[in-house]
Amino acid sequence: MVASACPFDAGESSVPDATDTGSQRGQTFRHMIARPEGDDVVHFETGAARATIGSVSRLNHEEVTTPPRDAATVLLLRDTAGKLEVLMLRRHRDSKVLGDAFVFPGGKLEATDSDPANGPRTDLDSATLHAQLGEPTLTPDQARGLFVAACRETFEEVAVLLSPQADAAGELARRIAAGLPFCAALGALDIALTASTMHPWTRWITPRVPSMMNRRFDTRFFVAALPEGARARHDAHEAVEARWLAPRDALERYWEGEIVLAPPQIQSLAHLARHRDVSGVLAEASSRPPPLIQPHPFALDGQRMIAYPGDPEHPSPARAMPGPTRLAVRADRFEPVEGFEGFFR
């Protein structure tokens, strides 16, 4: 359950290691269950953890010819002290994908997520969820599966259950820790998921030359409000730190070399920074279909660049999102050509 990036970047944001197994997932939940209930925030490590932001040595130079894999990631939001915050997780330093980077909860679509016979119940039907994603090439069951995957990853990675039966989260975690798959555990406890709380936000497809890995993903980004009374807790296994961050604050920490971010996270934070509260984000998400973002790599005077829709170098002339239309690789990081304030143009 990890996220990734692209130099030339993509929607790899939040996809699991290929080696992730059911037994490892059970181990993750045993870690989570054993942790104190209130232990949901760990402070930043600065010092040795600084500045592996997007080191040129970590950039991928190889073309990936395999089709992108379906994935889902969640921007979990809350309002605190008059500001919008989003939950981010720091990947374990030894993770195969984006080790040490801050990402949003998420992962690959699993077969059981889209299984109409054995998948979990949702409060919205497949046809409604299919219409919300706005992807004609998907079947309704596949569309529903992406919503289920988003809910599943949110629970597996941060212990937040998007369901009216949120009080069953503890028992659900125990069933999974004992080896029962997520969807089967939901069925055994007769838990329904509130897919209506997940709003499609953007869709990112990794370019054929990803930035920091040799995999491609077709990732649907969702936004959701933290349910009342819920506490997000990282698993202390795959994710070693969880932080609620105001979008601009997160970008400032990235700019100062305190945290590692990949381009999908950078651009998503720049997008969220336009909003003052959760209701504003959800209102935007409900007002339009999720835009498709296919980063376009190019070189300018020998410098690696990533173009986004609306940039003169991008095949699509229409903007898909606010923020910079291109990022440059400079000083071991991805940054707007205009400097820090370019994130908010």
Side-chain angles (χ1 to χ4, degrees):
M1 299 166 238
V2 24
S4 56
C6 313
F8 299 144
D9 163 82
E12 312 169 273
S13 221
S14 278
V15 296
D17 291 343
T19 56
D20 186 33
T21 66
S23 61
Q24 289 172 320
R25 190 168 299 150
Q27 181 182 9
T28 293
F29 271 89
R30 287 191 288 275
H31 276 278
M32 195 175 288
I33 291 170
R35 294 179 59 232
E37 181 65 27
D39 186 16
D40 62 345
V41 170
V42 179
H43 293 291
F44 283 108
E45 297 174 11
T46 50
R50 287 177 64 92
T52 52
I53 293 353
S55 172
V56 172
S57 63
R58 295 174 61 185
L59 294 179
N60 172 66
H61 298 271
E62 298 179 1
E63 182 179 11
V64 179
T65 58
T66 54
R69 297 192 61 175
D70 289 318
T73 194
V74 181
L75 282 63
L76 196 61
L77 309 170
R78 74 177 186 183
D79 292 324
T80 302
K83 65 168 63 173
L84 171 71
E85 292 184 330
V86 61
L87 183 68
M88 302 199 76
L89 305 176
R90 180 161 67 89
R91 298 291 303 159
H92 192 285
R93 186 175 305 228
D94 295 330
S95 295
K96 293 181 179 179
V97 182
L98 281 193
D100 217 30
F102 273 77
V103 301
F104 307 118
K108 291 181 292 189
L109 177 71
E110 296 183 353
T112 53
D113 296 330
S114 301
D115 186 342
N118 301 307
R121 292 185 295 118
T122 55
D123 63 338
L124 297 178
D125 61 29
S126 298
T128 300
L129 300 175
H130 182 260
Q132 288 185 12
L133 284 179
E135 297 181 43
T137 59
L138 289 178
T139 68
D141 286 335
Q142 288 172 326
R144 178 178 176 275
L146 288 163
F147 280 82
V148 171
C151 292
R152 174 177 53 76
E153 291 291 340
T154 302
F155 185 71
E156 290 179 350
E157 294 199 340
V158 296
V160 172
L161 180 59
L162 297 171
S163 168
Q165 298 138 284
D167 56 351
E171 181 58 28
L172 180 63
R174 284 186 282 273
R175 298 287 180 104
I176 297 173
L180 200 61
F182 176 77
C183 290
L186 287 175
L189 296 172
D190 195 27
I191 294 174
L193 298 175
T194 48
S196 58
T197 62
M198 311 290 296
H199 300 267
W201 184 242
T202 52
R203 177 188 177 193
W204 288 72
I205 298 180
T206 313
R208 294 174 69 90
V209 181
S211 44
M212 297 179 186
M213 59 183 295
N214 59 355
R215 305 172 189 177
R216 299 184 67 211
F217 295 93
D218 185 343
T219 307
R220 285 71 171 189
F221 282 57
F222 295 85
V223 290
L226 179 72
E228 185 176 355
R231 295 181 65 89
R233 294 188 295 152
H234 65 283
D235 60 22
H237 179 57
E238 289 188 11
V240 297
E241 186 175 345
R243 295 292 297 182
W244 286 100
L245 294 166
R248 187 180 179 102
D249 291 346
L251 290 171
E252 287 176 349
R253 291 180 183 274
Y254 170 71
W255 197 259
E256 295 300 321
E258 296 178 13
I259 65 174
V260 180
L261 293 173
Q265 285 76 25
I266 292 169
Q267 295 288 73
S268 296
L269 289 166
H271 192 167
L272 288 177
R274 269 68 181 174
H275 292 279
R276 299 179 58 183
D277 51 33
V278 175
S279 63
V281 177
L282 300 185
E284 181 191 334
S286 300
S287 70
R288 42 80 172 164
L292 173 62
I293 301 166
Q294 295 179 278
H296 177 70
F298 72 103
L300 180 65
D301 297 330
Q303 185 175 51
R304 297 185 74 159
M305 310 285 289
I306 310 169
Y308 297 96
D311 188 271
E313 291 289 336
H314 196 279
S316 175
R319 267 182 170 267
M321 59 185 175
T325 61
R326 66 174 61 182
L327 296 176
V329 179
R330 294 175 178 166
D332 288 351
R333 69 184 176 203
F334 302 99
E335 61 178 60
V337 294
E338 306 91 343
F340 180 76
E341 290 302 324
F343 286 129
F344 314 107
R345 53 178 290 192

